[in-house]
């Protein structure tokens, strides 16, 4: 019995070690891929490296000025402030600098005042820390609110609460803020355009892969687990849209108070927000369609399973819709050439509408339960095709040829 328990514990430890080893391997591989991308080409990974080196350089410069050259008694405050203020945008650096200086001043003055009034470090901590923690949670201070209690602890723990010490701490914090903001503003000031382009590219790329994967699954046969995986991927499109909205906000903020924005090479203009709005509308029928497919399979499906001819027509429709997304991705990536991608897009959209017409005609041949399942897919796929209509009439004309005859 004891031997059996020992073997069970050994297997449990072995499994835990195996999971940890797989996690470490995956993490090391991810770090390696990020490092290779940072070296190979511009992108988010290289931006992170650039900002990190700038923050380290700003901290070193602040220490060289206050700690090495000036030999200030509170020299730590300068590099500490400088490294924090190399933010993702110049505007954010300036805003954060003001927030942090106010927070540090409040923490320093409150701690020094309490220490001088009570004459006891312990009593001063009991009085000051609750107040500074509450100040730190004030929404206007954002993430920098934490520095109020931290600064108060520094002041009380090191006994640096004379009037001269307070002035030194504030002055050195101000020097660090000036250095951090200056480095961020003058040395490769960040302009967040690549994140927008990456999110825009991911939308049609994910749409293409998902639609083609579903089309293949409908031809080869699929189960509940596979259909639920499609549904999860469709819902991830919404997450990409969230990333895109954040990236556009970062981009707009990048240009505020940025002295180097006109000097940076930004590449071609970004597509308008009509692309974003179009994909917000595309995501809804994608999610609904995959949910319906998941409801038609399993041990106890909620909807009647679909016959093979219906699945074949739906497969043709979704493959053509995926080809539309592939053409959109080619346009976004600048691989359109002389308009070939736009022509392919129009042909793919016509093919999708033709397959939709064949799918709709299948409704007349089904019993009522199967027609209920099929009717949902017909409506959702029709909405998907309408939403795949071009958002830019000049760049992607939505022809009224064969596709138009199959609508409605």
């Amino acid at each position: 019995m004891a031997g059996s328990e020992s073997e069970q514990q050994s297997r449990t430890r072995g499994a835990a070690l195996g999971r940890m080893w797989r996690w470490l391997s995956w993490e090391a591989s991810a770090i390696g891929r990020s490092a290779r991308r940072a070296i190979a080409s511009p992108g988010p990974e290289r931006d992170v490296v650039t900002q990190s080196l700038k923050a380290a350089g700003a901290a070193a410069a602040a220490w060289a000025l206050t700690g090495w050259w000036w030999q200030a008694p509170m020299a730590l405050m300068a590099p500490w402030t400088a490294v924090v203020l190399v933010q993702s945008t110049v505007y954010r650096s300036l805003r954060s600098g003001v927030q942090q200086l106010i927070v540090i001043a409040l923490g320093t003055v409150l701690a020094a005042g309490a220490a001088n009034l009570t004459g006891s470090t312990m009593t001063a901590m009991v009085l000051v820390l609750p107040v500074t923690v509450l100040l730190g949670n004030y929404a206007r201070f954002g993430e920098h609110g934490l520095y109020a209690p931290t600064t108060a602890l520094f002041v009380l723990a090191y006994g640096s609460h004379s009037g001269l010490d307070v002035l030194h701490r504030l002055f050195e914090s101000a020097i660090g803020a000036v250095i951090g903001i200056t480095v961020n503003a003058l040395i490769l000031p960040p302009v967040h355009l690549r994140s927008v382009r990456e999110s825009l590219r991911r939308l049609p790329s994910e749409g293409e892969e998902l639609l083609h994967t579903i089309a293949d699954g409908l031809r080869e046969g699929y189960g509940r687990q596979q259909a639920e995986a499609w549904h999860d991927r469709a819902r991830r499109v919404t997450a990409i849209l969230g990333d895109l909205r954040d990236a556009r906000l970062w981009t707009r903020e990048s240009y505020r108070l940025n002295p180097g924005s006109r000097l940076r090479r930004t590449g071609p203009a970004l597509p308008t927000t009509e692309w974003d709005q179009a994909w917000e509308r595309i995501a809804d029928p994608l999610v609904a369609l995959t949910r319906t497919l998941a409801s038609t399979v399993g041990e106890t499906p909620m909807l009647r399973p679909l016959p093979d001819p219906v699945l074949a027509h739906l497969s043709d429709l979704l493959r053509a819709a995926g080809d539309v997304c592939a053409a959109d991705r080619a346009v976004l990536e600048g691989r359109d050439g002389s308009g070939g991608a736009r022509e392919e897009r129009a042909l793919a959209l016509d093919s999708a509408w033709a397959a939709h017409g064949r799918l709709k005609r299948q409704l007349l041949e089904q019993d009522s339960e199967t027609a209920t399942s099929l009717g949902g897919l017909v409506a959702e796929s029709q909405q998907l095709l309408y939403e795949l209509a071009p958002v830019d009439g000049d760049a992607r004309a939505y022809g009224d040829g064969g596709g138009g005859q199959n609508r409605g």
Side-chain angles (χ1 to χ4, degrees):
M1 186 69 176
S4 177
E5 290 180 357
S6 177
E7 290 177 2
Q8 180 64 30
Q9 291 175 354
S10 298
R11 284 196 294 270
T12 302
R13 285 195 296 268
L17 288 173
R19 287 193 296 271
M20 181 178 292
W21 175 252
R22 286 193 296 272
W23 177 82
L24 288 173
S25 300
W26 180 88
E27 195 71 15
S29 299
I31 292 171
R33 288 193 299 271
S34 296
R36 287 192 294 272
R37 285 196 293 267
I39 295 170
S41 62
E45 293 82 6
R46 184 175 292 182
D47 291 342
V48 170
V49 172
T50 300
Q51 288 298 100
S52 300
L53 293 176
K54 286 167 59 178
W63 177 259
L65 178 62
T66 58
W68 177 69
W69 180 70
W70 187 20
Q71 295 187 353
M74 308 292 171
L76 172 65
M77 296 302 297
W80 182 40
T81 305
V83 75
V84 171
L85 294 185
V86 180
Q87 295 280 322
S88 301
T89 65
V90 176
Y91 167 78
R92 197 166 290 258
S93 287
L94 289 167
R95 189 183 70 180
S96 297
V98 173
Q99 290 174 329
Q100 189 163 352
L101 288 176
I102 292 173
V103 168
I104 289 174
L106 288 172
T108 300
V109 171
L110 288 172
N116 290 323
L117 285 173
T118 63
S120 167
T121 299
M122 188 69 242
T123 304
M125 281 192 180
V126 171
L127 293 174
V128 170
L129 287 181
V131 177
T132 53
V133 171
L134 284 172
L135 283 172
N137 289 317
Y138 182 46
R140 295 292 184 186
F141 293 145
E143 61 186 12
H144 300 284
L146 174 65
Y147 296 112
T150 306
T151 304
L153 283 172
F154 278 153
V155 171
L156 296 173
Y158 288 101
S160 53
H161 45 70
S162 68
L164 185 60
D165 289 336
V166 170
L167 289 175
H168 266 293
R169 188 173 295 276
L170 298 179
F171 184 61
E172 287 145 20
S173 298
I175 289 176
V178 169
I179 291 175
I181 293 169
T182 301
V183 166
N184 202 36
L186 299 183
I187 300 176
L188 296 175
V191 176
H192 296 269
L193 293 176
R194 283 193 288 266
S195 296
V196 176
R197 293 197 174 99
E198 176 63 18
S199 295
L200 284 168
R201 186 197 64 79
R202 284 173 63 200
L203 286 169
S205 177
E206 181 66 22
E208 173 195 0
E209 292 179 9
L210 174 59
L211 289 167
H212 284 170
T213 299
I214 297 173
D216 291 339
L218 295 178
R219 288 281 185 181
E220 298 166 3
Y222 68 101
R224 180 66 179 239
Q225 185 174 2
Q226 191 175 3
E228 287 179 345
W230 298 339
H231 185 53
D232 289 339
R233 287 187 63 179
R235 288 189 297 180
R236 283 205 297 271
V237 173
T238 304
I240 299 174
L241 285 166
D243 293 342
L244 177 57
R245 284 191 291 271
D246 290 343
R248 286 199 183 272
L249 288 173
W250 279 105
T251 298
R252 286 195 290 271
E253 189 177 293
S254 296
Y255 285 97
R256 297 178 68 179
L257 306 176
N258 191 335
S261 60
R262 295 182 181 277
L263 303 177
R264 298 288 299 276
R265 290 181 296 174
T266 58
L270 293 173
T272 67
T273 54
E274 289 180 345
W275 281 83
D276 314 12
Q277 295 162 8
W279 272 95
E280 286 175 0
R281 296 189 300 269
I282 290 168
D284 290 338
L286 263 179
V287 171
L289 190 147
T290 52
R291 182 173 57 242
T292 300
L293 286 174
S295 299
T296 61
V297 288
E299 294 182 1
T300 55
M302 291 181 286
L303 297 172
R304 178 72 62 83
L306 299 165
D308 289 341
V310 169
L311 294 177
H313 294 315
L314 183 59
S315 174
D316 292 340
L317 188 160
L318 297 181
R319 176 159 295 280
D323 293 340
V324 173
C325 294
D328 285 347
R329 181 163 59 90
V331 173
L332 281 172
E333 293 176 350
R335 297 185 287 106
D336 190 25
S338 59
R342 296 180 179 88
E343 294 178 4
E344 291 175 4
R345 185 185 200 280
L347 291 173
L349 198 55
D350 285 344
S351 296
W353 277 112
H356 183 268
R358 296 193 296 272
L359 185 68
K360 187 158 48 174
R361 286 193 290 274
Q362 288 286 321
L363 278 169
L364 303 176
E365 304 173 10
Q366 310 302 325
D367 60 80
S368 60
E369 289 299 321
T370 306
T372 300
S373 305
L374 177 55
L377 292 171
V378 167
E380 289 147 8
S381 59
Q382 179 168 315
Q383 185 181 359
L384 173 65
L385 295 183
Y386 271 118
E387 300 303 353
L388 280 172
V391 298
D392 181 354
D394 181 50
R396 299 184 296 169
Y398 193 31
D400 287 331
Q405 296 171 2
N406 288 303
R407 301 175 206 165

